[in-house]
Amino acid sequence: MQRLPEYLKRPIIDTEKTKTVRKILKTKCLNTVCEGARCPNKSECYSHNTATFLIMGNVCTRNCRYCNISPARPEPLDLNEPEHVAEAVKELGLKYAVITSVTRDDLPDGGAEHFKNCIDEIRKVSDAKIEILTPDFRGKLDSLKTIIISNPEVFNHNIETVKSLFKTARPQGNYQTSIEVLKYIKDNSNIITKSGLMVGLGENINEIEETLVDLKNAGVDIVTIGQYIQPSKAHLEVVKFYTLEEFEELKKLTEKVGIKNHQIGPLVRSSYHAANCYEKN
């Protein structure tokens, strides 16, 4: 594995606030993508009393070659999880809650109803704004309709990478399905839509622009772009570490395409400063 440039290293923060967040998550038996995906911003987010809840277990039915969440046969859904997520949102005093999940291709609806149940439970106890970061549900319209009925403030589905690298990075996914999922939500609701991609897997600038154009044409409101960091030797290698100057150029490119609301930088992840993006929209 390559040595990380200095600007990709983050200090470990351990305060009473980070301990409180961990304690609440442990008490409620909740997973977070912060831990599961080894997010470099975990300590910063915990110190601000926030976390991205990972629902429907901590193993995935897909094996994306960039992701640190393990592929395995998942357990049955925990029917108490929506209530526990809502309790954690309330206890943490969150004004903005982000909920994501592993992919559950074993479920007929891909887990769409479980997302809705989480949103419904949060609404009962909190006025927090809610962002959901979902899998593609295999493009099933019934699942997408369930999401629309649940009416989160923000619907996020990450495209992750450019079309030419999609089958390498996401062998069980489909680039066009992801675009169509985002377009369907935008065309059939007033929900803000969001997507993100990683750079450093071997894409070129023209391919990044083509992806941004596809997202713009799908009506995506918010885009995030960050540097891919290899989680382990078993995952895809980093082809390139983008410089800080190159990230500034990506900001200009995104705005040229017509997407004004964005978070772009080496350590940006889909949920990083999510509330700020929502407020700017």
Side-chain angles (χ1 to χ4, degrees):
M1 293 174 63
Q2 298 181 44
R3 185 183 297 273
L4 290 181
E6 286 301 314
Y7 57 84
L8 285 171
K9 297 177 181 178
R10 297 299 297 265
I12 295 173
I13 303 171
D14 193 24
T15 66
E16 287 307 310
K17 279 190 174 181
T18 64
K19 290 174 184 174
T20 298
V21 174
R22 289 191 177 95
K23 182 179 178 181
I24 290 172
L25 295 171
K26 185 176 181 180
T27 301
K28 305 298 180 186
C29 300
L30 296 173
N31 297 303
T32 67
V33 74
C34 322
E35 303 284 350
R38 296 179 65 187
C39 179
N41 304 311
K42 175 180 63 179
S43 294
E44 178 188 347
C45 293
Y46 281 6
S47 70
H48 288 93
N49 263 44
T50 188
T52 297
F53 300 102
L54 180 70
I55 61 172
M56 297 192 278
N58 59 3
V59 297
C60 191
T61 55
R62 296 191 188 179
N63 187 18
C64 297
R65 297 191 58 215
Y66 55 84
C67 183
N68 196 55
I69 294 176
S70 301
R73 183 187 297 274
E75 298 289 329
L77 290 179
D78 175 2
L79 300 182
N80 295 316
E81 185 173 52
E83 185 177 353
H84 291 160
V85 169
E87 290 169 353
V89 169
K90 183 179 179 181
E91 289 185 31
L92 288 167
L94 300 186
K95 291 181 168 53
Y96 195 93
V98 183
I99 305 168
T100 189
S101 78
V102 293
T103 300
R104 291 294 302 261
D105 289 330
D106 59 308
L107 301 173
D109 71 346
E113 188 71 24
H114 200 72
F115 267 104
K116 181 179 181 299
N117 292 341
C118 288
I119 293 170
D120 290 346
E121 291 297 324
I122 291 171
R123 299 278 193 232
K124 291 177 185 177
V125 299
S126 170
D127 59 1
K129 306 301 182 187
I130 301 171
E131 175 176 323
I132 59 172
L133 170 57
T134 79
D136 60 20
F137 302 116
R138 292 184 172 173
K140 293 180 178 178
L141 294 187
D142 285 347
S143 297
L144 300 181
K145 289 173 182 175
T146 298
I147 295 299
I148 289 171
I149 292 168
S150 72
N151 198 33
E153 274 72 25
V154 178
F155 172 82
N156 185 356
H157 172 65
N158 284 336
I159 195 73
E160 299 290 14
T161 190
V162 301
K163 188 183 293 186
S164 68
L165 295 174
F166 212 83
K167 283 300 178 185
T168 300
R170 307 186 69 180
Q172 294 151 292
N174 181 279
Y175 180 92
Q176 196 57 40
T177 297
S178 288
I179 293 293
E180 288 170 1
V181 162
L182 289 159
K183 188 173 189 309
Y184 185 87
I185 297 292
K186 176 52 66 179
D187 287 349
N188 293 279
S189 75
N190 294 316
I191 299 168
I192 295 167
T193 54
K194 179 177 177 180
S195 191
L197 64 151
M198 306 168 290
V199 292
L201 288 169
E203 68 291 318
N204 61 49
I205 196 68
N206 291 332
E207 290 177 313
I208 295 173
E209 182 171 6
E210 287 169 5
T211 303
L212 291 170
V213 168
D214 286 343
L215 293 174
K216 174 65 177 175
N217 290 341
V220 170
D221 299 296
I222 304 169
V223 164
T224 60
I225 303 177
Q227 172 69 51
Y228 168 65
I229 299 174
Q230 185 182 14
S232 77
K233 291 180 180 179
H235 293 84
L236 289 173
E237 292 185 5
V238 176
V239 175
K240 173 181 177 175
F241 285 115
Y242 282 59
T243 65
L244 297 177
E245 292 74 20
E246 286 173 314
F247 276 104
E248 289 302 313
E249 291 303 313
L250 289 177
K251 292 179 184 178
K252 294 176 184 176
L253 177 62
T254 304
E255 298 208 351
K256 186 188 90 168
V257 166
I259 300 172
K260 306 300 182 185
N261 195 345
H262 53 73
Q263 280 279 323
I264 297 172
L267 287 165
V268 167
R269 298 296 181 265
S270 16
S271 303
Y272 187 57
H273 291 176
N276 293 347
C277 283
Y278 168 72
E279 289 165 4
K280 281 167 56 181
N281 208 73

